[in-house]
Amino acid sequence: ETHGCNVLKTTQTAPMRKRVLFVRHGEGEHNATGRWNSKRDPFLTAKGIAQASSLRGNTEFSDCQLLVVSPLSRAIQTALGAFGENPSCRVVLS
C-alpha cells in the first residue's frame, strides 16, 4: 500500500548497536483527495488513524529510547496512534 504507515529500519553495527526506525504517516486528507497543495498541514483520514493505531504494541518499538516527530499534524497523529499519549521514551518535536 502506497499511503500506509510503513516502518523502515536500519541498524548500526557494533559497538553501539543502535536501531533507527522510520515511520511514515498514515493516509492524510491530501492522499485521499489527491489535492497535494490544498492544505499545508492536512490531518489524517479515518483510514490513516486506523493505520497508525495498528502500529500500537509493535515489538519493533518496545525498546524505544527517543521518538522524534515532525510538528505536522499528520505526523503527530501517527505518533499518538502508534505510541499513545504517554510513550515510554523521550519525545522530541522537530
Side-chain angles (χ1 to χ4, degrees):
E1 180 174 86
T2 308
H3 301 295
C5 293
N6 302 315
V7 178
L8 305 172
K9 55 184 169 175
T10 181
T11 58
Q12 181 183 32
T13 58
M16 294 184 70
R17 309 247 355 158
K18 301 273 183 182
R19 283 186 321 147
V20 177
L21 301 175
F22 297 92
V23 178
R24 187 181 187 279
H25 62 80
E27 180 186 76
E29 294 170 346
H30 63 298
N31 300 120
T33 63
R35 295 182 185 167
W36 303 101
N37 295 323
S38 64
K39 188 175 180 183
R40 290 185 159 216
D41 189 13
F43 293 108
L44 294 181
T45 61
K47 180 179 178 180
I49 291 168
Q51 290 169 331
S53 296
S54 74
L55 296 175
R56 175 107 25 118
N58 186 322
T59 57
E60 294 287 342
F61 303 146
S62 62
D63 61 350
C64 178
Q65 295 176 357
L66 176 65
L67 174 60
V68 180
V69 181
S70 161
L72 294 174
S73 296
R74 62 187 178 268
I76 293 169
Q77 287 179 292
T78 299
L80 285 169
F83 288 88
E85 292 195 19
N86 296 300
S88 59
C89 55
R90 185 172 151 230
V91 180
V92 175
L93 214 56
S94 177

